Amino acid sequence: MAKIGIGSWAGKINVRLARGEVKFTISEDANGDYKIDVALPGALKSAKIAFMNLKEEEDGKTISGEGTISVLPGRKLTGAFTFEEDSFVGEIKAPVVGKIKITDGHRI
């Protein structure tokens, strides 16, 4: 079965430390699991994000999971991305920051 969201994507975020375009690539690793590489804008440009426990939800359109970010060591993020053809919406919940909405998501 084909995995959802495979490819390169971009969307906008607007939080205190980072405003602008976030870019990410979703691929499949050697084990068939989802892999996501992210490039953040602004003050978070050098932050490293690691994702884990990524899964496809029953709706067949959403990838959800957990992650960590280097600027908040020891704290977990949770998030979900819902895809429709060549667009998506996303939301990440981060300690201290709260909900981060990703808007205007599109394939690049």
Side-chain angles (χ1 to χ4, degrees), residues 12-68:
K12 294 179 183 171
I13 61 172
N14 187 5
V15 293
R16 200 168 2 135
L17 291 175
R19 289 178 174 84
E21 188 172 66
V22 59
K23 294 182 179 179
F24 60 98
T25 301
I26 301 173
S27 58
E28 192 175 347
D29 70 14
N31 296 323
D33 296 325
Y34 281 106
K35 178 181 172 190
I36 302 178
D37 295 307
V38 178
L40 297 169
L44 295 177
K45 190 172 188 170
S46 62
K48 302 293 181 214
I49 296 179
F51 290 96
M52 64 215 62
N53 303 322
L54 294 170
K55 64 180 180 178
E56 187 174 315
E57 296 295 331
E58 289 183 23
D59 66 6
K61 298 178 183 180
T62 303
I63 298 172
S64 66
E66 299 174 330
T68 59

